[in-house]
Amino acid sequence: MTDRERDPTGSLPHVPDSGADGTGVPPTSGARDPSGVDPDAKPIRYRRADGSEDETTTDAGSEDCGCGSCGCDTAPEGSNVAADGSGGAVNVEPDGSLGDLRFTTPSEGTSQNLESDPAERVNVPEGVDLDTPSYEIRSEMNDIETPDEKTWFMELDTAVIDEGRCIQCGTCVAACPSDSIGIGEDDLPELVKMCTGCSLCWDFCPRGGLRYERQWKITGGEDNVKGAGDPITEFSARVGESWQRNAQDGGVVTSVLSHLLEAGEIDGALIATESEEEPWKAESFLATTHEELVANAGSFYNQTMALGNLDLDRWEHKLPDKPAEDISLAVVGTPCEIEGIRALQDFEWEYGGQEEGVRAIDYTIALMCTKNFNYHRLIGEQLEEKRGISTDEIGKMDVLHGDMIVYDHEGEEVLREDVTEFHDATLKGCNECADFTGYCADLTVGSVGSSDEYSSVIVRTERGMDAWELTEPDLDYHDLEDRSAIGKLQGWDKKNAFESLERPFDPDAPRFIEYTEHAENYGVELNPHESGH
């Protein structure tokens, strides 16, 4: 039985008698005057609980005004005053049903009095400075401790970026499912919005949580850790076209990509191009024509954060109009970049804005690499300041036979110097890399092991073999000239890496390294996100 069924008088349930002991119902609109009498407040009328027809209002001090809503007997036409004249609630019919609501026009020219400063922050936990928020606020607002194994971008920032170990591959940017990581003006990863603590940026970083030597075996098999790996075949090759002059060594990479485009195997290739603002600085570029490939032939010696530039929306104007899942790309990069893309592709996790680009990569070409350079330290400090070579003079750069070589626009050498003399310009994190020959790539291309004007080509996968067979008719090639030279440099690279790594090198260990394990090996802070990093 409802309250109304128990009380035939039609009073509203649980509403006290407005005349009993001075109890009243407060007004529902308008500002409350401290005196208790607010001329702008709208009074509410109820039928008395005892069923009498006496009328009362809730606005102390109000008088009959003839409006039909303050308690007077002169209800205007069309009002919802009870039909029996008793002055019941304006939207309640005698039978207890709700009628149409009637709203009071808001007051004009009045405002609420604020007795306190509206900018004052209330209920702030003791010890928390809201003007300079940090991750510490979490521990101030609750007693939940973050597990040591929960990893945030702050861990990556502390252990890799701040330590100068970042190799600028861009894998962390590609891995972030919330697109919280961007590329800063210093060409390093930076947090651009709140980190969710998913740990993927740490897990896939080749200098953080990714045990890259384990990735070699996962991608290439059990024997893909010895010498130059376990390739299908190897060649020394070159192209004969006139554009080879601007290409690096034999121009094979440009030729392979051009043939893949022509055959419809790929829709574009992520390569490097020269920055329009900073001469001889490499930036990511999606080439979709033979002409673009030829125009950008040659090598640069700084990283482009390539995997941080896989958002297909960025390249939408260059790609064919078809579903993203049907887009096919090739990527040319350093061995660490290829390790990163292979690891990302091994999982079905979603990678935010880079997801479609990660999945679109079908061909990978690694460039043989012992070290890469910081652009400003190499071009600005080492060449311009120390050696007086301006960027306007440089026509081509090469690292060949252990020498850094700079050519002018006529192809004449202006510098040849032992590459070790440029050690101060290298990326510190490169010292820990043991992957000179790109173990995870479909094709590896470089100059070591072949004579001048030829490229050494290592075919590692069936897909790499497909690319080679498309290109082979237009190449001048023969068996790899000096396999031992590649093996020797690969061995030297591993030796240096073993001396620099502060963790065990173990191809059979789990692919991912916990941050807690890394912190113990490298002596970095365990929970930087808890200490206001």
Side-chain angles (χ1 to χ4, degrees):
M1 178 180 295
T2 66
D3 288 307
R4 186 164 299 282
E5 289 173 326
R6 284 192 292 266
D7 185 0
T9 64
S11 62
L12 294 178
H14 310 302
V15 176
D17 186 342
S18 61
D21 299 326
T23 302
V25 181
T28 58
S29 64
R32 184 181 297 249
D33 190 289
S35 67
V37 179
D38 187 345
D40 293 318
K42 176 183 175 181
I44 301 177
R45 299 174 61 256
Y46 293 98
R47 176 178 299 180
R48 294 177 60 85
D50 61 5
S52 69
E53 297 183 1
D54 292 339
E55 297 172 355
T56 184
T57 70
T58 63
D59 185 7
S62 65
E63 298 180 357
D64 290 349
C65 64
C67 70
S69 64
C70 69
C72 66
D73 293 329
T74 56
E77 184 180 354
S79 70
N80 283 338
V81 174
D84 60 3
S86 63
V90 294
N91 65 317
V92 179
E93 303 296 341
D95 61 358
S97 63
L98 294 178
D100 295 334
L101 289 173
R102 192 160 51 86
F103 295 98
T104 301
T105 303
S107 300
E108 296 182 1
T110 62
S111 62
Q112 182 179 0
N113 290 324
L114 296 175
E115 297 180 0
S116 60
D117 183 358
E120 180 183 356
R121 299 178 186 252
V122 297
N123 300 325
V124 178
E126 184 178 354
V128 175
D129 183 0
L130 293 182
D131 291 331
T132 55
S134 73
Y135 279 82
E136 289 176 306
I137 195 170
R138 293 200 321 275
S139 60
E140 297 288 347
M141 296 182 69
N142 60 62
D143 296 327
I144 300 174
E145 294 185 2
T146 302
D148 289 341
E149 62 272 15
K150 185 171 178 62
T151 309
W152 306 77
F153 176 81
M154 294 306 172
E155 273 77 356
L156 181 71
D157 199 20
T158 297
V160 177
I161 302 171
D162 284 355
E163 289 291 311
R165 299 175 56 243
C166 177
I167 50 178
Q168 298 175 295
C169 61
T171 309
C172 58
V173 181
C176 183
S178 59
D179 295 327
S180 296
I181 305 174
I183 303 172
E185 293 183 0
D186 57 0
D187 302 317
L188 293 171
E190 67 175 9
L191 202 62
V192 297
K193 63 181 181 180
M194 182 60 72
C195 173
T196 64
C198 72
S199 86
L200 293 188
C201 62
W202 171 260
D203 293 336
F204 288 106
C205 173
R207 293 301 167 268
L210 180 64
R211 196 183 309 273
Y212 63 79
E213 66 270 24
R214 177 59 182 164
Q215 188 65 46
W216 300 350
K217 295 185 73 171
I218 292 172
T219 299
E222 291 295 316
D223 295 329
N224 199 37
V225 294
K226 303 172 184 176
D230 187 25
I232 296 176
T233 188
E234 302 157 308
F235 301 99
S236 294
R238 68 177 182 180
V239 295
E241 285 84 347
S242 59
W243 49 265
Q244 181 189 342
R245 179 185 176 196
N246 292 325
Q248 207 73 4
D249 307 317
V252 172
V253 172
T254 305
S255 185
V256 168
L257 296 175
S258 180
H259 281 82
L260 287 172
L261 277 174
E262 183 180 356
E265 289 293 313
I266 61 173
D267 298 299
L270 193 67
I271 60 174
T273 190
E274 185 176 6
S275 167
E276 294 182 359
E277 289 80 26
E278 298 178 275
W280 280 95
K281 180 180 181 179
E283 294 180 347
S284 289
F285 178 73
L286 189 71
T288 55
T289 67
H290 171 77
E291 290 72 23
E292 288 178 337
L293 290 169
V294 173
N296 291 285
S299 290
F300 298 89
Y301 290 94
N302 69 273
Q303 292 280 62
T304 64
M305 293 285 287
L307 303 191
N309 292 284
L310 288 174
D311 187 344
L312 295 188
D313 288 344
R314 174 180 176 181
W315 310 109
E316 184 179 14
H317 63 290
K318 304 197 70 180
L319 291 169
D321 184 16
K322 60 182 180 180
E325 58 269 22
D326 295 333
I327 296 292
S328 178
L329 301 178
V331 64
V332 180
T334 53
C336 56
E337 291 173 330
I338 307 304
E339 291 165 355
I341 196 64
R342 290 297 199 198
L344 289 168
Q345 290 182 328
D346 282 346
F347 296 88
E348 294 301 320
W349 301 330
E350 293 186 3
Y351 302 122
Q354 313 283 327
E355 165 75 14
E356 293 172 344
V358 168
R359 304 302 174 193
I361 295 176
D362 290 323
Y363 292 87
T364 59
I365 300 177
L367 304 175
M368 293 182 187
C369 179
T370 56
K371 282 178 172 47
N372 220 314
F373 297 87
N374 175 280
Y375 168 77
H376 297 288
R377 294 201 297 266
L378 176 63
I379 302 297
E381 296 176 12
Q382 294 293 327
L383 293 182
E384 288 191 307
E385 295 178 13
K386 289 189 176 182
R387 293 166 175 83
I389 302 174
S390 71
T391 54
D392 293 338
E393 298 177 64
I394 302 174
K396 180 180 176 181
M397 296 178 64
D398 204 351
V399 176
L400 191 64
H401 307 308
D403 290 334
M404 170 70 74
I405 308 172
V406 178
Y407 303 89
D408 63 18
H409 293 281
E410 302 301 320
E412 298 296 325
E413 283 188 18
V414 295
L415 174 75
R416 180 184 286 264
E417 197 170 327
D418 194 306
V419 73
T420 59
E421 296 297 319
F422 297 85
H423 177 76
D424 290 344
T426 60
L427 299 178
K428 178 182 175 182
C430 292
N431 295 334
E432 299 180 34
C433 178
D435 190 4
F436 166 62
T437 56
Y439 288 113
C440 293
D442 295 309
L443 293 172
T444 297
V445 181
S447 61
V448 176
S450 295
S451 55
D452 292 350
E453 297 187 355
Y454 279 83
S455 295
S456 296
V457 182
I458 302 175
V459 182
R460 297 190 175 279
T461 67
E462 292 298 331
R463 180 152 283 180
M465 196 67 199
D466 293 341
W468 168 261
E469 289 176 348
L470 278 174
T471 313
E472 174 265 336
D474 290 334
L475 295 175
D476 170 14
Y477 70 96
H478 46 265
D479 289 343
L480 182 63
E481 296 170 8
D482 192 351
R483 184 176 289 105
S484 64
I486 295 177
K488 182 178 179 180
L489 193 50
Q490 176 65 79
W492 175 87
D493 197 47
K494 281 186 177 179
K495 178 178 180 295
N496 285 346
F498 296 162
E499 292 174 353
S500 298
L501 280 170
E502 297 182 36
R503 63 166 178 84
F505 181 90
D506 186 357
D508 296 314
R511 173 167 19 195
F512 297 124
I513 304 167
E514 294 290 344
Y515 182 80
T516 50
E517 179 185 344
H518 179 93
E520 181 179 353
N521 287 324
Y522 282 79
V524 295
E525 194 171 3
L526 186 60
N527 288 311
H529 58 273
E530 295 289 0
S531 58
H533 175 76

